[in-house]
Amino acid sequence: MNWNEWDVWDEWIGRILQQMFFMRWQNRLTSTLNIEYPIVQAPMLGITTPEMVAAISNAGGLGSLPVGGLSPETTLSLIKAVKALTSRPFAVNLFTFPHPSPASGPMLDNMRQFLDVLAEKYEVPFSVPPMESVRFYSYKEQIGILVQEKVPVVSFTFGIPDDESIMTLKNAACRLIGTATCVEEALLLENKFVDVITAQGFEAGGHRGSFITDNDPPLVGTFALVPQVADAVQLPVLAAGAIADGRGIMAALLLGAMGAQIGSAFLACHESQAGNAHKHILQNASAIDTTLTRSYTGRWARGINNAFMKAVKQSGLEIPAYPFQLQLTMPFRSHAQKMEMTDLLVMWAGQAASKAVRKSAAEIFQSLVQQTEKVAQKSSMTGELNR
Ligand SMILES: Cc1cc2nc3c(=O)[nH]c(=O)nc-3n(C[C@H](O)[C@H](O)[C@H](O)COP(=O)(O)O)c2cc1C
């Protein structure tokens, strides 16, 4: 090695700085969740596989397994599949809305008739069982399994678990992550003794986690939301919504978050369940291609705008609440997935979805870490990570 050459010195100084930097990733969030890097792979129902979860946890982040609304049997087998692939901490994600009362009435009938006609146009076999006969699984049926399987972290969206469930999980040494879309929701979560709060901005892909009101949910952008939540609560905050590279992670940390929860950037990874057509559209999407809609599920969610969303909007019909609309649109969703029909396919995605790349989840994760380290070194702000 020629120590007289500047390039050699430069490389070694870079390595030493990087070593110092690695240590600086550690903060209150990483120690709370027992992880190496404060980067969480967002739970994405219908997309996330046990392989994706394990890849992120094995790389030093926190993988999140979504099980919202799934049966206890499926929940158990998915958790076991993750545990077979990693011994590192991972999160299981629940939908914590109150159990719906049985629904019937003209709103459901009108929507059923409209979808029946739309199904004919797209040649979708349309058959929906009567709502009274449909079985919806509550998070309460999943809590016992999480305790039995010693799940280290439980995250949730659409509300706060009841006191009994929180107590059961806390007694089992589970760390809890709640989702807030405004300061008021963050304060309610803090009062219920959760350990971490995800501040989910308006740009985020998938469902809004709002629970104060879903009819007219808070629409605060990540840049505005994160500092307000970080100032209002004592807990570590995770920023979520259109964070898809090192610049975004660094910005989240500077805004007062202690970590980032990232979804859309993993949509096209090898371990994702998204089909080819879906992945292709994502990579060619621009920020204006996503929109908020209630058309598929009855709850507000952000996804790639398509013919199905536009048709439901143009119908002017009132949309039944979650999970009744979810049930009514089931034939469209499953047919579209089978046939890769992007006109009808659910393609939840955030405003930074075009940054999704076709690589392995571990490669994407490592690149997020390296990009953040580079941004920090470049801007000489490494100290900011060490709060
Ligand atoms: C396809 C998809 C499915 C999602 N499913 C869930 C879910 O099951 N549970 C949950 O808490 N959040 C879910 N989300 C929201 C994410 O947790 C997270 O807030 C969001 O992905 C962050 O924004 P980003 O997509 O811009 O990174 C989903 C997001 C996407 C894109």
Side-chain angles (χ1 to χ4, degrees):
M1 200 174 315
N2 182 0
W3 289 99
N4 292 325
E5 285 192 18
W6 168 244
D7 280 351
V8 176
W9 278 102
D10 193 34
E11 193 203 338
W12 276 93
I13 290 168
R15 281 194 201 183
I16 291 163
L17 279 174
Q18 213 173 26
Q19 281 299 321
M20 288 162 62
F21 192 85
F22 276 135
M23 290 163 64
R24 292 180 184 211
W25 277 105
Q26 298 298 312
N27 60 21
R28 199 147 54 88
L29 180 94
T30 58
S31 56
T32 301
L33 301 177
N34 191 20
I35 53 178
E36 210 176 323
Y37 301 105
I39 301 175
V40 177
Q41 160 258 311
M44 295 185 283
L45 194 66
I47 297 291
T48 307
T49 54
E51 289 74 17
M52 189 195 291
V53 176
I56 301 302
S57 290
N58 286 335
L62 186 76
S64 310
L65 178 74
V67 299
L70 301 184
S71 71
E73 295 74 31
T74 310
T75 302
L76 179 62
S77 77
L78 287 170
I79 292 172
K80 282 189 183 296
V82 172
K83 283 167 79 174
L85 297 169
T86 184
S87 53
R88 299 274 192 105
F90 66 96
V92 172
N93 176 261
L94 307 174
F95 290 169
T96 43
F97 59 88
H99 204 62
S101 26
S104 57
M107 197 203 293
L108 275 175
D109 294 340
N110 293 342
M111 183 54 73
R112 192 190 288 263
Q113 275 163 25
F114 166 75
L115 292 176
D116 204 359
V117 174
L118 196 66
E120 223 168 282
K121 177 176 167 194
Y122 285 99
E123 298 179 357
V124 175
F126 189 69
S127 132
V128 180
M131 287 297 147
E132 308 79 58
S133 68
V134 176
R135 171 95 164 84
F136 296 114
Y137 295 100
S138 157
Y139 70 92
K140 291 185 197 170
E141 298 174 69
Q142 298 168 310
I143 300 280
I145 293 167
L146 307 191
V147 172
Q148 171 200 309
E149 291 301 309
K150 299 188 171 56
V151 168
V153 183
V154 175
S155 67
F156 46 87
T157 188
F158 304 160
I160 307 178
D162 65 348
D163 290 348
E164 194 189 333
S165 302
I166 290 192
M167 185 85 80
T168 309
L169 292 169
K170 286 254 163 197
N171 286 341
C174 263
R175 296 298 193 182
L176 304 182
I177 307 179
T179 308
T181 60
C182 60
V183 169
E184 289 78 0
E185 288 173 350
L187 291 170
L188 288 172
L189 287 162
E190 187 170 54
N191 274 338
K192 290 292 180 180
F193 308 110
V194 307
D195 300 289
V196 174
I197 291 175
T198 298
Q200 187 196 41
F202 163 79
E203 304 91 331
H207 284 101
R208 310 282 313 126
S210 313
F211 56 92
I212 285 184
T213 158
D214 186 52
N215 286 339
D216 198 6
L219 300 175
V220 189
T222 308
F223 249 71
L225 182 66
V226 171
Q228 291 184 59
V229 171
D231 286 348
V233 302
Q234 305 296 314
L235 298 171
V237 172
L238 271 167
I243 300 171
D245 61 19
R247 291 168 296 186
I249 295 174
M250 194 61 182
L253 296 168
L254 291 173
L255 288 171
M258 289 198 185
Q261 175 160 299
I262 298 176
S264 296
F266 290 104
L267 280 172
C269 74
H270 301 331
E271 294 87 344
S272 157
Q273 261 175 352
N276 244 331
H278 186 173
K279 287 182 177 175
H280 180 76
I281 285 219
L282 286 170
Q283 291 173 299
N284 293 285
S286 71
I288 51 161
D289 289 323
T290 69
T291 189
L292 282 176
T293 181
R294 289 182 60 230
S295 59
Y296 280 108
T297 70
R299 281 193 75 101
W300 288 106
R302 180 176 294 285
I304 305 282
N305 205 358
N306 66 1
F308 182 85
M309 290 187 196
K310 288 175 195 160
V312 175
K313 190 174 179 186
Q314 274 159 18
S315 76
L317 289 172
E318 247 189 292
I319 299 175
Y322 188 101
F324 302 106
Q325 182 71 357
L326 179 74
Q327 201 58 41
L328 285 175
T329 60
M330 171 92 81
F332 285 88
R333 292 182 287 115
S334 47
H335 185 73
Q337 201 168 4
K338 214 181 310 160
M339 310 301 283
E340 300 230 34
M341 286 172 75
T342 51
D343 272 353
L344 305 178
L345 193 64
V346 183
M347 294 177 287
W348 297 145
Q351 289 184 336
S354 61
K355 300 215 60 124
V357 288
R358 293 194 191 223
K359 290 185 177 172
S360 73
E363 281 175 298
I364 295 171
F365 184 87
Q366 275 145 17
S367 142
L368 288 170
V369 168
Q370 283 160 10
Q371 287 170 21
T372 313
E373 289 174 345
K374 272 207 183 119
V375 175
Q377 280 175 19
K378 214 162 133 189
S379 54
S380 312
M381 288 178 184
T382 52
E384 287 297 325
L385 292 174
N386 195 21
R387 272 179 317 233

